[in-house]
Amino acid sequence: MDLGDCYRLLGLRSGASFADIKASYRRLAQQYHPDINPDDIKAKDKFIALTEAYKFLLTVLPSEEVPQRSSKSSTIRSDGTTATGSTTTVTVERPPTPPKPPNFIEIERRLKWKTYEQLQRFLKGRKFPQAIALVEALAARLPADPEVRQWQAVAYQIWGRALIAENQLLKARIYLKKALKIDPHNKALSIEVQRDFHKLEQLY
């Protein structure tokens, strides 16, 4: 199960927040829980897959996005007091803090390359809208990463070329311009885009 599969299982787009992931998991887990569907093997398998996807996504989310529970004891005071005015206290032990996910840099690195692998699959499968949505979500998360900008620009250029083949010329021009704007210093990309623009001019 890769990163894209996890988001799809939970009915989410890549880069969804922890709150969205948690809410979607709770909703779907209730729907497919074995206690609700005792004789449904498919529902059980779906529940297991949802749980695995949820746990995996928690490992790749930035640590500050996943709330950490305190391992310290907390004291709860009751409203009642004794005749002498003393206060009754009850101590509640909270469960130990779960292991922290890997450090932030490692999380970003894993997320980046898993997303790249999924992007390649989308492009090879000619699933261009999904590829664009995926790479734009990654670019929003890592706006200063030059490699991610390059992937975004290449995805725009590839889709622009596909749109030319489909005779959607205006839309093709928009995405080719986006490719140049995202990665203006990429000479190889610039040459390819200029060729595509030349083909566009011939078709007008």
Side-chain angles (χ1 to χ4, degrees):
M1 185 183 298
D2 61 27
L3 190 63
D5 291 332
C6 292
Y7 281 114
R8 281 196 298 278
L9 268 171
L10 293 170
L12 299 168
R13 293 183 64 177
S14 179
S17 68
F18 169 75
D20 289 338
I21 291 170
K22 184 177 180 180
S24 182
Y25 171 70
R26 284 187 172 182
R27 177 176 56 80
L28 292 170
Q30 288 177 355
Q31 180 181 346
Y32 292 102
H33 198 283
D35 290 346
I36 306 297
N37 309 276
D39 301 318
D40 192 336
I41 301 299
K42 289 184 178 180
K44 181 181 178 182
D45 291 342
K46 180 77 170 182
F47 177 79
I48 293 171
L50 287 167
T51 302
E52 289 178 353
Y54 176 67
K55 289 180 178 178
F56 178 74
L57 287 175
L58 292 188
T59 67
V60 299
L61 283 173
S63 57
E64 67 267 21
E65 204 171 315
V66 181
Q68 299 295 319
R69 300 176 67 184
S70 172
S71 60
K72 296 180 180 179
S73 299
S74 62
T75 301
I76 303 174
R77 296 186 181 275
S78 68
D79 292 330
T81 59
T82 63
T84 59
S86 62
T87 304
T88 305
T89 62
V90 179
T91 301
V92 179
E93 292 289 337
R94 294 192 179 182
T97 305
K100 291 185 177 181
N103 64 62
F104 183 78
I105 296 175
E106 177 61 17
I107 288 171
E108 293 298 318
R109 187 189 70 80
R110 287 169 59 187
L111 174 65
K112 172 182 169 180
W113 289 103
K114 282 184 175 293
T115 304
Y116 175 74
E117 291 170 3
Q118 183 63 58
L119 175 65
Q120 292 300 305
R121 286 192 285 271
F122 279 151
L123 291 174
K124 288 179 182 178
R126 299 183 65 79
K127 297 179 178 179
F128 299 118
Q130 293 94 324
I132 296 301
L134 183 67
V135 76
E136 285 180 345
L138 183 63
R141 194 180 190 99
L142 302 173
D145 191 309
E147 285 183 318
V148 173
R149 286 202 305 273
Q150 184 182 52
W151 302 343
Q152 186 179 9
V154 169
Y156 285 154
Q157 188 266 332
I158 290 174
W159 196 18
R161 181 170 289 178
L163 289 167
I164 293 174
E166 295 172 6
N167 206 35
Q168 297 187 47
L169 306 185
L170 182 59
K171 193 173 180 180
R173 181 180 293 277
I174 290 171
Y175 278 94
L176 291 174
K177 286 183 177 180
K178 281 187 174 185
L180 290 179
K181 184 178 180 180
I182 290 293
D183 195 10
H185 304 298
N186 187 331
K187 293 183 178 179
L189 176 70
S190 179
I191 292 172
E192 291 299 316
V193 172
Q194 292 305 325
R195 288 176 180 168
D196 293 329
F197 273 132
H198 180 67
K199 188 171 182 178
L200 266 176
E201 296 301 327
Q202 290 178 328
L203 292 172
Y204 270 115

